[in-house]
Amino acid sequence: MLSEENIRSKMKTARCGSNVVYLYETGSTNDYAKSIAHEAQDGTLVVADCQVSGKGRIGRNWNSPHGVGIFMSLILKDGLKADKAPMITIVAAMAVMKALDRQCDNSTDVSIKWPNDIVINGKKVCGILTEMKTVGDSSQYVVVGIGINVNNESFADDISRVATSMYIEEGKRFDRSDIVCDVMEEFEKYYGMFLENENLSSIKEEYNSRLVNMNNEVEIIRQDGNYRAQSLGMDEDGGLIVRRQDGSLETVVSGEVSVRGVYGYV
Ligand code: BTN
């Protein structure tokens, strides 16, 4: 069961999730986290049972009903340079993937769609939205928002083609508090690795070994037009290296492009 007491008693981390704010219902845990970030201690985790206006990337909504999902936002106050924030999102994706590995059957294919969607059997089970406040070129705080579809039994028609839940894929229900704490434990580990060099050099290999479409043809979607290229994996700064059809290599950057499989979402 998701509750403040369960989360606190199961949390094993020193930093990430060392302080927990639990809300039965809120607009968006990212918005709540941003509203307290100035005074909140580093590592504070805001968790809600339901979000009435959950936010996805590029202005989309995030489906956040009561009783079935995980909606949480972690406040980090390292004062990192603002251009490092996209890498924190990738660290969070690694952490969620590893936490879902712990929970799911060994045969379940949990993977990452660059840069930070977690997919099971080709459908999206988790999304991550990182926001920050900057002073000059440094971050005053970073809020890492994570949404995981855990015990959802179904999705509305418009998203069911791309969205899934752990319940739908595994055929059993999960304790959301366990998953919250597993994600924090994995995040603390991978974030520590990231902070050593402030890049993804020590994470890259494992990340790429779980990347959907590694070495396959993908569709690069850019504002000025789409093209196909072969995905060669993430580099140490979080960009995706691709080989274009003329043989040239280029690195695409999240935020500027999105990438999907040639047959659809994955
Ligand atoms: C995406 O579009 O893939 C990102 C979705 C991020 C959803 C999470 S749920 C917790 C946090 N609060 C929000 O309003 N959004 C993020």
Side-chain angles (χ1 to χ4, degrees), residues 23 31 46 48 62 68 124 131 162 183 192 197 206 209 216 238:
L23 306 162
D31 289 347
V46 178
W62 186 258
V68 289
K124 178 165 169 170
E131 300 185 82
V162 293
V183 172
N197 307 304
E206 189 174 14
S209 74
N216 293 344

Side-chain angles (χ1 to χ4, degrees), residues 28-30 51 54-57 62 71-73 117 124 127-129 145-147:
S28 150
T29 55
N30 267 29
Q51 298 183 121
K55 304 188 297 184
R57 279 181 301 142
W62 186 258
F71 316 109
M72 61 182 179
S73 301
D117 286 355
K124 178 165 169 170
I128 300 167
L129 177 67
I146 300 174

